[in-house]
Amino acid sequence: VQLQASGGGLVQAGGSLRLSCVASGRTYSSYDMGWFRQAPGKEREFVAAILWSTGIPYYADSVKGRFTISRDNAKNTVYLQMNSLKPEDTAVYYCATEGRLSQQHQMYKYWGQGTQVTVSS
């Protein structure tokens, strides 16, 4: 399975960005897709995850009400709509799959390359 993340950029606080993650390869075996982020000097942390089959989402408390994860099965793509961005959301964002919806990044088998999100104050 290969994952390609995109959509990062520089945005002012309060602004929005939409990240995309396209999956290719042996995607029929994928159960879920997760988004994680890692700021400089910090551990990689869970942001959101979604089941491919049902679309049921899961969120970290820090992003609930601001971020929305969704998927387009026909395009093998998962999106992360990020609204009301804060400077503390600044990080490299990664998509990952085959982690059984775990919030532990070590559980995920396949990773995208990451996309930088920078929120200025």
Side-chain angles (χ1 to χ4, degrees), residues 69-84:
I69 189 170
S70 62
R71 93 276 191 243
D72 184 332
N73 287 14
K75 295 182 178 180
N76 285 339
T77 301
V78 170
Y79 304 99
L80 186 68
Q81 178 67 43
M82 306 186 295
N83 298 330
S84 302

Side-chain angles (χ1 to χ4, degrees), residues 95-114:
C95 55
T97 191
E98 295 194 23
R100 307 300 288 179
L101 291 176
S102 174
Q103 295 193 15
Q104 304 300 317
H105 65 86
Q106 299 91 334
M107 298 297 291
Y108 285 75
K109 187 173 181 180
Y110 299 104
W111 289 85
Q113 83 286 6

